[in-house]
Amino acid sequence: MIAAKWYSSWSLSSWTVAVILILPLLFLINESLTPDKEVFEHLLNTVLIDYVINTVVLILAVIIISLLIGVPLAYLLANFSFPGAKFFNWGLLLPLAMPSYLMAYIYTDWLEYAGPVQRALRAVFSWQNKADYYFFDIRSITGAAIVLSLVLFPYVFLIVKTAFKEQSTSFVHAGKMLGKTPWQIFSNISLPLARPALAIAASLVAMETLADFAAVKYFAVNTLTTAVYDTWLGYGSLTAAAKISVIMLVMIFLFISFERMSRNKQKTFSGNSSSEIQVVKLQGKKGWLAFSACFSVLLFSFILPVIYLAEMAWQYQEQALNSDFFSYGFNSLTLAISVSIICLCLGLVVVVFKRFNQSLLANLPLKISSSGYAMPGTVLAIAVLLPLTFIDHGLNDFLIVQGEAPIGLIFTGTLFAIGFAYVIRFIAVAIGALESSYERISPSIDNASIMLGNNRFITLVKVHLPLLKRGGLTAILLVFIESMKELPAALLLRPFNYETLATYVFQYVSDEQLELASMAAISIVLAGLIPIILLNRTMESKL
């Protein structure tokens, strides 16, 4: 009886968490169905089509460049050993720690007309002005695509490298027996076998590109993400912004569907796992050539930008290390810690429910709760604002009817809104870490605990939780770092006179004064290194 009551309570809690987290999305869809014959139709007849085209072009460009960078590096490190290969296996993931808006500022500073690159070209070739030569405009779709690719190619590298490593040597041997050259083996055998992984990586890059707000805003590239921001704050139309948001969600749904189909097809290309790819050692000139290729990519995507930020932080430490840095750093710290703990607790509720109930229905709360991660920050901000505004106004109207004084905006005007948005977006990270840990706990342990007379609650407390310590710590750290870096939701939902390190840095980036927030910028980058180190250790422990 007690076990049944506990299970019923846990089931109710799990579904309650799922409903609360999916509520903003339902409100967003409902708002998008509201007629809007002015703003949205005006945008549709003027600039919206251009926004869609820019978005599609940017996504395709970033995918192509990311694949051109990530796939060769993945094949190189999956199949060959050379000086520095062990470092590059995880070192090439470091660009993930670099926020896109910082990369946008840095490369604009380097490549614009007054920057050091063009100044050097004019000095070497004796060019007098811009009319004497051609140099692409960094503040363009091309510039945005290059910058985003330098940040996002590690997704391609990580996913595709794993696919290359899992390919069987029998395919390569067959190619050699048929007299194929190394290039033919790569292009005709290894690459086709990795197509599902390529599709998954491309879908992930596409979703991250679609969700990016800061870099495209800095480059003045009009995409659907900036359209949501401008429509909401510029035109003051939440309904039109909701309609554009739903268009973005449809695109994300297509990317996710494409990824799922590719993942299902991957079973068709599975090889003999007992005969994995044998690593070939590259020596001499070939080895150093491979080293140079990997180092060059890492140099431009992480090392030089970090040196630039570190030098700036050192040079302007008196101005950058000010009271605002400590105040906003404290805001980011407390917000990130709070969100991390909440995500861990709520994630544990839905993950444990799935563990103790293996039915298909028990998997729904987990899937629903994880859906918010696919929502871009600007879209999520609108989705969160809608139900919270409804509750605020309803509560104040009720108090007025009862003859009481209204209490104001206790949800939309406080930290609750930004915290709620963070939980919706990042609880999927916590759920993923907890699920991964649970997969290592054999069901036989549960059976043994029950045979010893323990109910499910006792099994959870005395058996599962001690074994979930590593997964729980990983969940807290990953959510903490994601919360520290989040910009669009914080930018749109923060209360008055409240800043995080991310919003603080972005404002100075927008004003071309990053040096005044350089200490905050380097802090965000250093904080982003933690999940990369954790990811590397997790991968090594599985090998």
Side-chain angles (χ1 to χ4, degrees):
M1 180 66 68
I2 296 177
K5 185 178 181 180
W6 175 83
Y7 176 77
S8 177
S9 300
W10 204 275
S11 174
L12 178 62
S13 300
S14 181
W15 279 102
T16 301
V17 169
V19 170
I20 292 175
L21 295 181
I22 199 64
L23 195 62
L25 178 59
L26 300 179
F27 267 79
L28 178 68
I29 295 174
N30 178 70
E31 183 69 21
S32 69
L33 299 176
T34 304
D36 182 4
K37 295 186 178 298
E38 295 182 4
V39 177
F40 184 76
E41 287 190 5
H42 170 71
L43 293 174
L44 186 61
N45 295 328
T46 54
V47 298
L48 188 58
I49 301 301
D50 292 334
Y51 284 8
V52 173
I53 293 174
N54 287 344
T55 302
V56 173
V57 170
L58 180 63
I59 289 173
L60 292 177
V62 174
I63 289 175
I64 292 172
I65 298 173
S66 297
L67 290 175
L68 290 176
I69 298 173
V71 173
L73 295 178
Y75 186 76
L76 191 63
L77 286 162
N79 291 273
F80 301 98
S81 174
F82 52 89
K86 187 175 182 180
F87 164 74
F88 289 124
N89 267 297
W90 68 271
L92 285 170
L93 300 178
L94 292 175
L96 290 174
M98 186 68 65
S100 61
Y101 53 90
L102 290 182
M103 291 288 282
Y105 178 93
I106 292 168
Y107 270 91
T108 300
D109 190 51
W110 286 344
L111 299 179
E112 64 183 354
Y113 181 77
V117 174
Q118 291 201 52
R119 287 205 313 268
L121 289 174
R122 290 195 295 271
V124 171
F125 295 101
S126 299
W127 292 326
Q128 298 299 318
N129 51 56
K130 198 170 184 177
D132 295 335
Y133 66 100
Y134 170 79
F135 197 89
F136 81 97
D137 185 9
I138 185 65
R139 292 180 181 269
S140 62
I141 290 183
T142 302
I146 292 173
V147 166
L148 289 174
S149 299
L150 289 175
V151 174
L152 298 178
F153 84 87
Y155 289 118
V156 176
F157 168 74
L158 180 61
I159 295 172
V160 178
K161 185 184 70 171
T162 303
F164 283 144
K165 279 182 173 292
E166 292 176 350
Q167 292 178 2
S168 173
T169 54
S170 58
F171 298 118
V172 178
H173 291 159
K176 291 180 178 179
M177 291 176 63
L178 292 173
K180 300 294 184 180
T181 64
W183 169 253
Q184 290 174 324
I185 291 174
F186 166 73
S187 59
N188 297 333
I189 299 176
S190 298
L191 200 58
L193 290 174
R195 278 186 300 188
L198 291 171
I200 294 171
S203 299
L204 183 56
V205 169
M207 287 189 290
E208 291 291 334
T209 304
L210 181 63
D212 182 82
F213 165 78
V216 293
K217 184 70 174 178
Y218 181 77
F219 283 139
V221 176
N222 294 319
T223 64
L224 288 175
T225 308
T226 58
V228 172
Y229 182 87
D230 294 337
T231 302
W232 181 6
L233 299 184
Y235 291 94
S237 175
L238 200 59
T239 300
K243 291 179 182 294
I244 299 174
S245 298
V246 170
I247 295 175
M248 296 177 65
L249 292 179
V250 170
M251 296 179 69
I252 291 173
F253 173 76
L254 294 176
F255 292 140
I256 294 175
S257 301
F258 182 59
E259 177 196 1
R260 294 285 170 83
M261 288 189 297
S262 301
R263 188 173 296 180
N264 291 335
K265 291 179 181 179
Q266 195 168 17
K267 298 176 182 178
T268 307
F269 301 108
S270 59
N272 182 7
S273 59
S274 62
S275 179
E276 295 182 346
I277 290 292
Q278 299 297 315
V279 176
V280 178
K281 188 173 183 179
L282 297 178
Q283 296 179 336
K285 184 178 179 180
K286 290 183 178 179
W288 287 109
L289 189 62
F291 171 86
S292 299
C294 295
F295 181 76
S296 297
V297 172
L298 188 60
L299 181 69
F300 290 105
S301 61
F302 184 76
I303 296 175
L304 288 179
V306 167
I307 293 175
Y308 178 92
L309 290 176
E311 181 183 4
M312 183 181 290
W314 176 261
Q315 185 177 355
Y316 293 91
Q317 57 181 310
E318 292 185 2
Q319 297 94 321
L321 203 62
N322 51 30
S323 59
D324 287 342
F325 168 70
F326 291 105
S327 175
Y328 302 149
F330 178 77
N331 290 345
S332 293
L333 190 65
T334 53
L335 179 62
I337 291 175
S338 302
V339 171
S340 301
I341 294 173
I342 294 172
C343 285
L344 175 66
C345 296
L346 298 183
L348 196 61
V349 170
V350 296
V351 170
V352 170
F353 176 63
K354 179 189 174 184
R355 173 74 176 196
F356 287 131
N357 188 341
Q358 298 299 320
S359 67
L360 294 177
L361 189 63
N363 197 38
L364 277 179
L366 187 146
K367 295 295 184 183
I368 293 173
S369 301
S370 302
S371 61
Y373 192 72
M375 298 174 63
T378 50
V379 174
L380 181 60
I382 294 177
V384 165
L385 190 65
L386 290 170
L388 295 187
T389 301
F390 177 81
I391 295 173
D392 270 338
H393 289 170
L395 185 58
N396 282 281
D397 292 342
F398 174 77
L399 291 174
I400 292 174
V401 170
Q402 298 298 318
E404 302 289 340
I407 57 177
L409 304 177
I410 62 173
F411 293 112
T412 55
T414 64
L415 282 176
F416 183 87
I418 186 173
F420 187 36
Y422 277 28
V423 170
I424 293 175
R425 181 158 171 78
F426 301 130
I427 192 173
V429 178
I431 290 175
L434 292 171
E435 266 198 303
S436 178
S437 290
Y438 249 133
E439 288 175 357
R440 299 187 182 96
I441 303 176
S442 173
S444 61
I445 296 179
D446 298 11
N447 297 332
S449 177
I450 293 174
M451 289 177 64
L452 291 173
N454 296 324
N455 58 33
R456 287 174 170 172
F457 180 75
I458 298 299
T459 300
L460 171 64
V461 173
K462 292 188 175 182
V463 179
H464 290 177
L465 291 184
L467 295 174
L468 288 173
K469 284 183 179 179
R470 178 177 293 182
L473 178 61
T474 301
I476 287 178
L477 287 174
L478 292 178
V479 174
F480 174 82
I481 300 305
E482 290 289 345
S483 300
M484 290 285 288
K485 293 168 56 179
E486 174 62 24
L487 175 65
L491 200 63
L492 294 171
L493 294 174
R494 70 190 191 278
F496 291 112
N497 299 322
Y498 182 89
E499 300 283 352
T500 64
L501 286 180
T503 61
Y504 175 61
V505 170
F506 180 70
Q507 288 182 5
Y508 278 102
V509 166
S510 302
D511 295 336
E512 305 288 348
Q513 293 180 320
L514 179 59
E515 62 275 5
L516 299 180
S518 53
M519 196 65 69
I522 197 70
S523 299
I524 294 175
V525 174
L526 293 177
L529 297 178
I530 296 176
I532 296 174
I533 296 172
L534 285 174
L535 177 61
N536 176 59
R537 289 185 175 180
T538 301
M539 291 174 60
E540 288 182 347
S541 65
K542 291 181 179 180
L543 294 177

